[in-house]
Structures are given as structure tokens and as C-alpha cells.
Amino acid sequence: MLALSDFLITKKWPAAHPDRLQLYSLPTPNGVKASIMLEECGLPYEPHRVDFGSNDQLSPEFVSLNPNNKIPAIIDPDGPGGKPLALFESGAILMYLADKTGRFIPQDAAARWHTLQWVMFQMGGIGPMFGQLGFFHKFAGKDYEDKRPRDRYVAESKRLLGVLDRHLAGRDWIMGSDYTVADIATFPWVRNLIGFYEARELVGFDDFANVARALDAFVRRPAVERGLQIPAPPKA
């Protein structure tokens, strides 16, 4: 049977605890989805930092786990049937961990699908749109004289925030009173939009009071506070 040591990625990032779930990531909005979920679930895991500055994500070892060379990725040595399972894509990882632990996902079939639709809303809308806005507002795109690309992503980000804000009216969390993978998927991106991307005024974030309220509750969760720092930067 395949063992953890049989995965090429463990040659670059050896497992000190091969019995634990292995996380390969960085504290980006997508990366912290996995670390927050692991912290919330209480599963033993071992984080490995994938350094973009050194192009770790392009290394043969990392690409052997994720051919799309994006973080996060995981290997669970105790996957289905007791066999190791390798996964990439943050949404798939969230759903796998929810199923594995039976937490943060409704057991009712209809509620489960409603939760999944909001995870897909983040994956297909909020993540890509906020990411493009960040590029055109904070990074190389800000030097473009033509501001139409930036303005297009600003308008779409505002629209998505409006969808989320209206849905959160009268609800504690995206699925109501229950905190779920839909929240874990979504709010790291909202936090990044107004924090790292410095786009709070650009998108008129203060107009979305329900989103702001839920974001504040999200970042105050102890597991979220821990997960946002994982994997930790190397010691100086």
C-alpha cells in the first residue's frame, strides 16, 4: 500500500510527523482556508511553507502533488479506506475535511447543497474577482493608464459584496445560525480585499454592514486567529 514517504513532495518537505495530515500552503486567502478549517476541526496536522519567493510552487516535488502549482494542497495519510489521499484546490480540501470530521457541513441533504452553492459562489466569483481587483489596484496593474480593467473588477466586486450583504441580512453566518465551510471559504477573501489589497474605500466597504459584521465575528474566532498565521514564516 502507498505510504506517505512514497510521495515525491516529502523529499523536499520531509514529514516530522508522518501520521499527521500534511499541509503545503502559505497564508494567502486560499491558503488559510485550509489551515483555518484544520484548526477549527482540531485535526492533527503538519504545515509546510511553500515559498513563492523561491518558486517552491514550481518545483517538481510540489507539482507532483498539484499539477496546477497553486496552494494549498494536502496529503492525508489516513484517507478513505485508511489509504493516503492527496488533494489540491481549496474548495475540495474544505469539503473533504468537512466530510472526514462531520463538522461545519449540514447533514441534511438540502442544506448541504445550499452550503455547497455558497462555497462555489466564493470559488467562482469572490476569489477570482477580488484577486483581479488586487492586481489592478495594488500590484502591476496600478501602472496601467487605462483604468477600465480596474473599474470593471471594482464594479463586479461591489456587486458580489452586495449579494453577500443582502443574504447576510438577519443571519449570523452565510447559512444562518450555523458557521460552515461557506464562511471559511468566503471571509478570508473579504479580509484580504480590505486589508492586504487596501481596497476598502475603493469598493465602498462601509456600505456593506452585514458583511462587515460577519467578518468581524469571523476574525475573532480563536481557530481563525491561529489559522491566519499558518504556515508561519521562517525564523530570522
Side-chain angles (χ1 to χ4, degrees), residues 27-29 31-42 45 94 104 173 179-192 214-231:
T28 67
V32 298
K33 292 180 201 173
S35 54
I36 289 170
M37 183 64 173
L38 286 162
E39 289 290 326
E40 292 279 15
C41 292
Y45 71 101
L94 286 181
F104 308 112
W173 301 105
Y179 173 78
T180 69
V181 288
D183 304 294
I184 296 172
T186 301
F187 288 110
W189 274 103
V190 177
R191 173 181 177 269
N192 205 66
L215 174 63
D216 183 62
F218 178 75
V219 297
R220 286 190 284 107
R221 292 178 67 89
V224 173
E225 292 180 356
R226 295 191 300 270
L228 288 171
Q229 308 303 319
I230 297 170

Side-chain angles (χ1 to χ4, degrees), residues 7 52 126:
F7 289 87
F52 285 4
I126 282 179

Side-chain angles (χ1 to χ4, degrees), residues 75-90:
I75 303 175
D76 184 359
D78 183 27
K83 299 177 181 179
L85 177 70
L87 277 180
F88 63 90
E89 282 296 331
S90 58

Side-chain angles (χ1 to χ4, degrees), residues 18 21 29 32 36 47 62 68 71 78 80 82-83 85 95 102 107 111 115 120 140 142 144 157 180 235:
L21 187 147
V32 298
I36 289 170
F62 187 77
N68 196 34
I71 57 94
D78 183 27
K83 299 177 181 179
L85 177 70
M95 296 306 296
Q107 297 305 303
T115 303
M120 295 299 103
K142 70 179 184 298
Y144 290 15
S157 294
T180 69
K235 295 181 180 179

